[in-house]
Amino acid sequence: MGDSAVGKWATGSSYGPVLSQTDLYLLNTELQLNPILQGTNKAFNLMFNIVPREVSTQEARDRDIPFTAKDEPATLPRVTDLIIITELSPWCTMVHNPRGVTMSDVCTTIWKEYTENYITEQEFNSLSPRLQEQVKRVSQNNQNAGGWAAMYYGTPAPNRYKRVDWLRDKIFFDGLTKKDMYTVSRLGFKAPNVFVMNLAA
């Protein structure tokens, strides 16, 4: 029996139904978040830098290994949708997979949300002048990190800023948590599939 046992978070599609958002709300089911996304798995430390989209695990201090848990379910029971917010930005990240949201879906969607979308002029103007200057500097640094061409040609200061620039130095994923009071104050409701993303410098 011990040889045939499958890990609780193992990759696969045979773990019962995938709950749609409607099913989840009607059943009012509490979701169990994958320990890797919580940062509580002692054997597997997720290292995710949003700017260059570096996703790896750190099992030893001297080396990174590939993200082998990418196909594991993000939650149990599996769901089609997760909503991720953070106290550091005004946006909601909607993660969707009709076959059940995986760890890879979470990381890829967060990366795309912050690196492919721009801050609107209204959003930028809502920042204090000090924070606006910080966002401008971070944006310039992120563009210069794009390679030798950006440095060689002396790319001018951008007039459009990406959402990742808004985060300034807080670009390392530091886990997901449930914060129902914050969620209600931010969204006006709480739900089992809404999680708050922590970010670190």
Side-chain angles (χ1 to χ4, degrees):
M1 175 86 180
D3 293 338
S4 64
V6 176
K8 181 176 184 177
W9 297 100
T11 302
S13 59
S14 301
Y15 290 101
V18 177
L19 301 179
S20 70
Q21 194 154 318
T22 303
D23 295 336
L24 183 64
Y25 292 176
L26 287 174
L27 295 171
N28 196 25
T29 303
E30 195 64 33
L31 295 180
Q32 185 177 1
L33 194 60
N34 191 308
I36 294 170
L37 290 176
Q38 291 178 314
T40 58
N41 186 328
K42 301 295 183 206
F44 202 100
N45 185 19
L46 179 65
M47 305 294 287
F48 176 27
N49 181 342
I50 296 173
V51 175
R53 192 187 173 194
E54 293 173 358
V55 179
S56 62
T57 61
Q58 189 177 12
E59 288 184 340
R61 293 271 183 223
D62 61 340
R63 62 186 169 89
D64 288 341
I65 61 170
F67 186 29
T68 55
K70 69 182 187 308
D71 295 321
E72 289 183 9
T75 63
L76 287 178
R78 294 175 303 141
V79 293
T80 59
D81 298 282
L82 289 182
I83 301 169
I84 299 172
I85 58 177
T86 179
E87 295 171 285
L88 299 173
S89 80
W91 304 289
C92 292
T93 301
M94 309 294 289
V95 185
H96 178 75
N97 184 339
R99 294 180 311 278
V101 173
T102 65
M103 305 280 283
S104 178
D105 295 327
V106 171
C107 294
T108 301
T109 305
I110 290 170
W111 177 76
K112 285 183 176 181
E113 183 73 24
Y114 283 89
T115 60
E116 295 181 359
N117 293 308
Y118 289 92
I119 299 170
T120 66
E121 186 175 344
Q122 184 178 4
E123 290 166 345
F124 185 74
N125 291 334
S126 72
L127 294 170
S128 68
R130 185 177 132 272
L131 290 179
Q132 287 180 8
E133 284 305 313
Q134 288 179 3
V135 168
K136 288 177 185 178
R137 280 196 307 272
V138 167
S139 179
Q140 185 65 44
N141 288 340
N142 288 343
Q143 281 192 351
N144 287 341
W148 66 269
M151 289 187 259
Y152 181 77
Y153 292 110
T155 306
N159 56 6
R160 294 190 68 201
Y161 311 102
K162 293 189 176 182
R163 289 181 175 180
V164 72
D165 301 328
W166 181 288
L167 302 175
R168 297 176 302 279
D169 64 339
K170 304 277 198 238
I171 56 171
F172 286 95
F173 178 86
D174 197 29
L176 297 177
T177 58
K178 291 291 284 180
K179 293 183 181 177
D180 287 340
M181 289 180 63
Y182 174 72
T183 301
V184 170
S185 71
R186 170 88 180 266
L187 303 176
F189 68 95
K190 67 177 184 174
N193 64 333
V194 178
F195 294 94
V196 178
M197 174 173 62
N198 299 314
L199 294 164

